[in-house]
Amino acid sequence: MTAEENNMKTIKVMTVFGTRPEAIKMAPLIHELERTEGVQSIVCVTAQHRQMLDQVMDIFHLKADYDLDIMQPRQTLATITTKSLTGLDEVLEQAEPDIVLVHGDTSTTFAGALAAFYHKIPVGHVEAGLRTFDKYSPFPEEMNRKLTGQIAALHFAPTERNRKNLAAEGITDGVIVCGNTVVDAIHSTVNPDFRFRDETLAQLDYDGRRVILVTAHRRENYGAPMEHIMRALRRLADDYDDIDIVYPVHLSPYVRETAAKYLSGHPRIHLIEPLSVDEMHNLMGRSYLVMTDSGGLQEEAPSLGKPVLVLRRETERPEAIEAGTVRLAGVEEEDIYSMARTLLDDPDAYQTMAHAVNPYGDGQTSRRIVQMIRYYFRQADTMPDSFCP
Ligand code: UD1
Ligand code: UDP
């Protein structure tokens, strides 16, 4: 008799998340959990983000069993963490999951892992092992993911490099290399016949003009770096009349004030509201270039063959840089401006970067994660295969 036949006690798996990117990357995994016999999926959101989280929940038809509804305008790191921890304490007491899954490196991630630890519930860390080795950049994400790594029993590392980062910290048990669930998500959203609901996007001329997709929101870029980024974008829009810069602006008041101050009122710059993820992925697919400080976009654009200029000093995602589709542009106005110019003026430089690569996943990540959870609880006989790009 196999373990599968032998031991079909239902495993209660609670996913805990709170922000837009966590929801996008947890969605395919939740769907896989829901499809799996012998597994009960329980969803708990902190709602560290409110509107941006709800957009994702709607588009992927996710329903929260528990919603802590913690978001406040201009919230601090301490309030996100303490409100999540207190709320989760009660939820875990009630729901008694067998395992808690957290994602990535937000304050919700760390609070989720800590709350589970206090209840002696094992933690599975999805998107484990990303590191810059600078505790203040990205801030506070580098520390959130390191602390979560210390607590977790299972580590779902997207790439071999991420596995090695964990090994260097002495974390070797319960680690699998499984790709990133974001690639599972993008397989379900991108469609050549997609029609944009957003009016600005529906009216853009994707064949006749060049669309530059921009996002920027990181806390460590607040202040001078964000201002440099905005000034470089404005100069590009002034100097090229065949481009359209599309910037769906994050709901953080700081980001919105800065974007409005530097970029509003320009005929070739479109400041729009946060996009639903299906619109975002399809816009990316039709863009010429992506300029971003986002983590998720660095993973998505390479699989769509779109060059990316990363508006940061470092990245925990060097795989696509090595594959040649992503470059670090930094946070100085002149560097950002001149790197973008090269990609707008030099077709060879552009073509060198514009090829599709998939260093972050093959669309099978959620399946591997669920199999690993079942193996951990002796419900499956074998560990999953590893992701190899
Ligand atoms: C958070 C994460 C960051 C992640 C990012 C993804 C932390 C510390 N930061 O940063 O790792 O990259 O999410 O976007 O966990 N707001 C709204 N509505 C929303 C979302 C945000 O109004 O739906 C506003 C609120 O005023 C909120 C502010 O944005 O206080 C900042 O949100 P917060 O989650 O604290 O930080 P992010 O910069 O979004
Ligand atoms: N995204 C979206 N709408 C937007 C901007 C981003 O759906 O208007 C998606 C994007 O495709 C990616 C994720 O949100 O999947 C990235 O989120 P964000 O940049 O907020 O956070 P990070 O990845 O930097 O943590």
Side-chain angles (χ1 to χ4, degrees):
M1 201 183 269
T2 65
E4 282 161 54
E5 287 157 345
N6 207 5
N7 190 352
M8 278 302 279
K9 177 189 170 296
T10 298
I11 311 165
K12 285 165 82 171
V13 182
M14 178 182 280
T15 41
V16 173
F17 53 97
T19 66
R20 169 174 67 193
E22 293 166 86
I24 293 169
K25 292 168 163 182
M26 283 295 212
L29 177 54
I30 293 168
H31 290 152
E32 186 71 23
L33 289 167
E34 285 170 351
R35 277 195 291 270
T36 305
E37 219 181 303
V39 168
Q40 182 192 346
S41 166
I42 307 168
V43 173
C44 174
V45 297
T46 62
Q48 172 180 337
H49 286 174
R50 185 71 273 172
Q51 304 90 321
M52 285 159 54
L53 174 75
D54 292 343
Q55 263 187 323
V56 183
M57 301 292 282
D58 286 349
I59 210 80
F60 288 119
H61 309 291
L62 299 177
K63 208 184 132 310
D65 298 293
Y66 299 91
D67 187 335
L68 305 181
D69 198 20
I70 67 157
M71 196 195 85
Q72 290 175 328
R74 296 180 194 267
Q75 60 202 359
T76 64
L77 300 177
T79 48
I80 307 169
T81 309
T82 50
K83 286 174 89 176
S84 300
L85 190 59
T86 316
L88 284 164
D89 202 40
E90 239 174 76
V91 168
L92 293 174
E93 189 75 43
Q94 257 187 48
E96 298 185 322
D98 297 304
I99 184 167
V100 166
L101 301 184
V102 293
H103 182 280
D105 51 22
T106 70
S107 296
T108 289
T109 314
F110 171 54
L114 190 59
F117 172 69
Y118 287 162
H119 286 259
K120 297 193 176 158
I121 298 169
V123 171
H125 188 195
V126 184
E127 201 180 273
L130 279 68
R131 297 287 185 270
T132 59
F133 307 101
D134 176 348
K135 75 167 82 154
Y136 290 108
S137 191
F139 173 82
E141 290 83 1
E142 177 79 356
M143 194 48 69
N144 284 342
R145 59 198 174 209
K146 280 186 80 161
L147 295 170
T148 303
Q150 289 301 313
I151 292 172
L154 295 179
H155 310 261
F156 304 112
T159 69
E160 177 58 20
R161 178 186 303 266
N162 303 148
R163 186 194 66 72
K164 284 188 180 144
N165 289 342
L166 291 170
E169 292 173 11
I171 299 171
T172 50
D173 286 348
V175 181
I176 59 161
V177 177
C178 55
N180 196 310
T181 52
V182 78
V183 180
D184 304 11
I186 216 162
H187 281 191
S188 72
T189 51
V190 176
N191 174 354
D193 300 324
F194 186 83
R195 282 173 174 267
F196 292 110
R197 302 179 295 276
D198 180 279
E199 273 181 30
T200 309
L201 302 188
Q203 282 165 15
L204 284 176
D205 171 9
Y206 297 92
D207 298 323
R209 298 171 58 73
R210 297 186 288 182
V211 171
I212 301 184
L213 170 59
V214 172
T215 75
H217 72 83
R218 303 225 76 81
R219 266 184 167 74
E220 73 274 9
N221 279 347
Y222 285 9
M226 196 76 85
E227 288 166 14
H228 275 257
I229 293 169
M230 302 295 158
R231 282 203 296 265
L233 293 171
R234 180 119 198 165
R235 276 172 69 190
L236 289 167
D238 284 341
D239 293 353
Y240 291 84
D241 57 13
D242 72 326
I243 68 171
D244 280 295
I245 295 181
V246 181
Y247 180 178
V249 188
H250 190 290
L251 292 180
S252 156
Y254 176 79
V255 175
R256 292 178 88 76
E257 284 156 16
T258 316
K261 179 172 167 200
Y262 288 91
L263 301 179
S264 59
H266 196 293
R268 291 187 285 282
I269 300 180
H270 310 276
L271 298 181
I272 59 175
E273 291 304 309
L275 288 169
S276 190
V277 64
D278 56 336
E279 300 221 85
M280 184 65 179
H281 286 169
N282 285 284
L283 173 62
M284 205 181 299
R286 292 175 207 184
S287 296
Y288 179 82
L289 169 65
V290 177
M291 297 174 70
T292 188
D293 68 3
S294 157
L297 269 78
Q298 289 178 63
E299 295 156 343
E300 293 161 344
S303 73
L304 297 172
K306 301 300 169 181
V308 181
L309 293 180
V310 175
L311 307 171
R312 289 172 55 180
R313 292 196 180 88
E314 50 20 63
T315 180
E316 57 289 273
R317 297 171 169 88
E319 293 87 351
I321 294 185
E322 284 156 12
T325 65
V326 170
R327 288 187 71 192
L328 266 187
V331 288
E332 300 291 333
E333 177 185 340
E334 206 51 48
D335 295 339
I336 297 166
Y337 175 74
S338 67
M339 279 198 198
R341 282 201 69 133
T342 303
L343 291 173
L344 288 164
D345 293 342
D346 179 348
D348 291 339
Y350 182 81
Q351 280 313 327
T352 310
M353 286 182 77
H355 56 273
V357 291
N358 285 304
Y360 299 114
D362 56 2
Q364 297 295 314
T365 302
S366 306
R367 174 188 60 74
R368 292 190 183 100
I369 292 174
V370 173
Q371 188 175 339
M372 186 64 184
I373 293 168
R374 296 181 69 231
Y375 179 76
Y376 179 77
F377 285 101
R378 305 279 178 271
Q379 214 189 64
D381 285 325
T382 51
M383 284 183 48
D385 56 312
S386 292
F387 162 62
C388 299

